[in-house]
């Protein structure tokens, strides 16, 4: 079985790495890696590939940034040409970025099987572009690999045949389990002057939080509330710093006492920072999962989450987007009273289960 695996943005790297590692020893599967270049920073991509043990991509499409329409169309055009030269039996896509739906559409229209890892996650918020990508990718997928059991209910409600759905667990946690010990040895805490469990991390980048002057100002007020309680590390997403600069708010953040603004971090350094944080304040999807696996309190600055298990079983609190609620939420999180457990099958073996399903299909 020729399986072409797609990565388009850095969160995809962490999801595909354990799948490729599980495929490599098998005679029944011939994997190929295509990097669309949807998000590309040469330094960070090289660092992530090296730290995660990913092979160099067999193809790099170099799509770059653009509107959702332009980016999706460009990925489709270039990936369609790539499949002309390198036919596949299965195209495996992960997550919910534009490259996910674009490559899935190309494969489905060519009659190539589609495998979607992280299927069935729903925020119920159709204003999130990622939600549209998730729903549409699931509709055209032949194998739907889920990270939590509630995803099956979402898929069945949307008319998906349960026989196509496989509960395998969370591949991002595979990567975390594999690299946690190495991350613990990184010198990043000393380099940044951090005391274990004595600081917060903030990551914010979603359009709803930074793309208008009003949303950005509200987000800055939230940052101020966290920083008033704890020393704070902020690895700024480029679009976040750009928007804050545009709205005249960047200096307000960087001048806050106790705030350390740093460049985006490599996987191992960021894992080390998360693992040792007292609190993470974020609007990221994947960080909700990673903090749950690590047992670190997480406050999610969003009105909805596509990962409800991180709230019902994990360490995540869905806070909404009212900055006025942040001080009390931070105090509650720091009390450490919230009971939490690592969800089922978040055990470092999700990739093995995915590859076992595909292997059976190839025989």
């Amino acid at each position: 079985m020729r399986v072409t695996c797609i990565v388009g943005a850095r969160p995809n790297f962490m999801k595909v790495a354990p799948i490729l590692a599980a495929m490599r020893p098998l005679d029944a599967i011939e994997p190929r890696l295509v990097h669309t270049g949807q998000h590309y920073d040469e330094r960070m991509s090289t660092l992530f590939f090296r730290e995660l043990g990913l092979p160099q991509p067999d193809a790099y499409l170099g799509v770059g940034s653009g509107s959702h329409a332009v980016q999706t169309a460009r990925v489709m055009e270039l990936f369609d040409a790539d499949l002309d030269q390198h036919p596949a039996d299965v195209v495996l896509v992960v997550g919910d970025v534009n490259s996910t739906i674009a490559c899935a559409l190309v494969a489905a229209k060519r009659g190539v099987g589609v495998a979607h890892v992280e299927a069935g996650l729903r925020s119920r918020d159709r204003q999130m572009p990622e939600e549209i990508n998730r729903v549409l990718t699931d509709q055209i997928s032949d194998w739907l690999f889920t990270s939590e059991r509630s995803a099956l209910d979402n898929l069945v409600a949307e008319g998906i045949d349960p026989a196509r759905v496989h509960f395998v667990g969370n591949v991002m946690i595979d990567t975390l389990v594999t690299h946690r010990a190495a991350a613990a040895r990184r010198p990043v805490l000393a380099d940044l002057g951090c005391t274990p469990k004595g600081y917060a991390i903030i990551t914010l980048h979603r359009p709803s939080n930074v793309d208008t002057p009003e949303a950005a100002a509200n987000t800055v007020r939230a940052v101020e509330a966290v920083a008033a309680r704890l020393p704070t590390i902020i690895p700024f997403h480029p679009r976040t710093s750009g928007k804050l600069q545009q709205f005249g708010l960047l200096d307000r953040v960087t001048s806050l006492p106790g705030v350390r603004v740093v460049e985006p971090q490599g996987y191992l350094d960021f894992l080390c920072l998360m693992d040792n944080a007292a609190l993470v304040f974020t609007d990221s999807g994947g960080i909700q999962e990673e903090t749950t696996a690590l047992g670190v309190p997480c406050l999610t600055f969003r009105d909805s989450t596509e990962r409800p298990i991180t709230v019902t079983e994990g360490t995540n609190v869905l806070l909404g987007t009212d900055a006025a609620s942040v001080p009390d939420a931070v105090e509650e999180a720091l009390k450490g009273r919230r009971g939490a457990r690592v969800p089922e099958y978040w055990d470092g073996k999700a990739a093995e289960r995915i590859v076992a399903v595909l292997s059976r299909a190839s025989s």
Side-chain angles (χ1 to χ4, degrees):
M1 177 183 280
R2 298 164 298 177
V3 180
T4 294
C5 301
I6 305 298
V7 295
R10 284 198 297 271
N12 298 165
F13 301 168
M14 286 90 85
K15 298 166 189 175
V16 167
I19 297 171
L20 283 174
M23 287 179 175
R24 282 187 209 121
L26 303 180
D27 294 330
I29 293 180
E30 179 185 325
R32 186 168 182 271
L33 179 62
V34 172
H35 188 336
T36 67
Q38 175 181 329
H39 293 168
Y40 193 73
D41 175 294
E42 185 172 3
R43 182 185 69 84
M44 291 300 292
S45 288
T46 300
L47 179 60
F48 268 67
F49 268 66
R50 184 174 72 244
E51 290 184 345
L52 297 175
L54 277 164
Q56 284 302 303
D58 297 287
Y60 172 64
L61 305 184
V63 169
S65 60
S67 70
H68 287 285
V70 168
Q71 195 175 67
T72 303
R74 188 70 175 142
V75 173
M76 291 183 68
E77 180 183 17
L78 293 173
F79 184 55
D80 191 52
D82 182 81
L83 282 180
D84 282 338
Q85 300 298 316
H86 304 279
D89 301 302
V90 176
V91 170
L92 184 144
V93 295
V94 298
D96 52 24
V97 299
N98 287 339
S99 296
T100 301
I101 180 61
C103 293
L105 274 169
V106 169
K109 291 191 173 190
R110 295 175 69 116
V112 175
V114 177
H116 185 204
V117 176
E118 253 188 16
L121 298 180
R122 298 290 183 270
S123 68
R124 316 287 182 212
D125 181 0
R126 292 292 181 97
Q127 294 187 22
M128 291 178 63
E130 297 90 348
E131 183 79 352
I132 303 299
N133 292 345
R134 285 189 285 266
V135 171
L136 296 181
T137 301
D138 285 340
Q139 285 295 321
I140 57 176
S141 292
D142 302 280
W143 294 272
L144 298 99
F145 296 110
T146 62
S147 58
E148 55 184 83
R149 288 195 183 274
S150 67
L152 175 61
D153 297 332
N154 296 333
L155 294 168
V156 170
E158 294 168 5
I160 303 293
D161 181 357
R164 290 154 53 195
V165 181
H166 307 271
F167 173 48
V168 295
N170 193 325
V171 288
M172 279 194 73
I173 307 308
D174 288 16
T175 296
L176 184 150
V177 168
T178 298
H179 296 285
R180 190 176 186 183
R185 296 190 292 269
R186 301 290 291 183
V188 63
L189 295 185
D191 291 347
L192 296 178
C194 295
T195 301
K197 302 304 177 185
Y199 62 92
I201 299 175
I202 295 180
T203 74
L204 296 164
H205 71 281
R206 290 195 177 274
S208 57
N209 281 331
V210 300
D211 271 15
T212 66
E214 297 77 17
N218 180 65
T219 294
V220 170
R221 289 192 293 272
V223 170
E224 290 170 336
V226 176
R229 182 62 177 81
L230 285 166
T232 301
I233 304 295
I234 307 178
F236 255 145
H237 191 288
R239 72 185 312 277
T240 302
S241 57
K243 288 294 183 182
L244 294 184
Q245 181 74 53
Q246 178 184 341
F247 302 138
L249 295 166
L250 186 59
D251 289 345
R252 186 168 147 189
V253 174
T254 57
S255 62
L256 285 171
V259 166
R260 181 78 178 269
V261 174
V262 299
E263 293 293 316
Q265 301 292 292
Y267 178 75
L268 294 179
D269 282 348
F270 190 70
L271 176 54
C272 180
L273 287 169
M274 272 197 302
D275 206 359
N276 288 281
L279 171 74
V280 176
F281 188 85
T282 190
D283 59 11
S284 163
I287 287 175
Q288 297 172 52
E289 297 175 324
E290 290 170 319
T291 49
T292 280
L294 295 169
V296 173
C298 179
L299 299 178
T300 296
F301 199 54
R302 285 168 50 181
D303 292 318
S304 62
T305 179
E306 65 282 0
R307 293 163 168 87
I309 201 168
T310 64
V311 176
T312 57
E313 296 186 20
T315 59
N316 187 27
V317 174
L318 186 62
L319 192 58
T321 55
D322 181 359
S325 68
V326 174
D328 288 345
V330 169
E331 292 303 324
E332 283 299 309
L334 293 177
K335 289 176 182 177
R337 295 174 181 170
R338 180 178 173 83
R341 69 183 186 88
V342 177
E344 183 183 9
Y345 275 9
W346 291 25
D347 57 1
K349 299 179 180 178
E352 295 176 19
R353 298 183 187 104
I354 291 168
V355 173
V357 171
L358 294 176
S359 295
R360 287 195 295 271
S362 70
S363 60

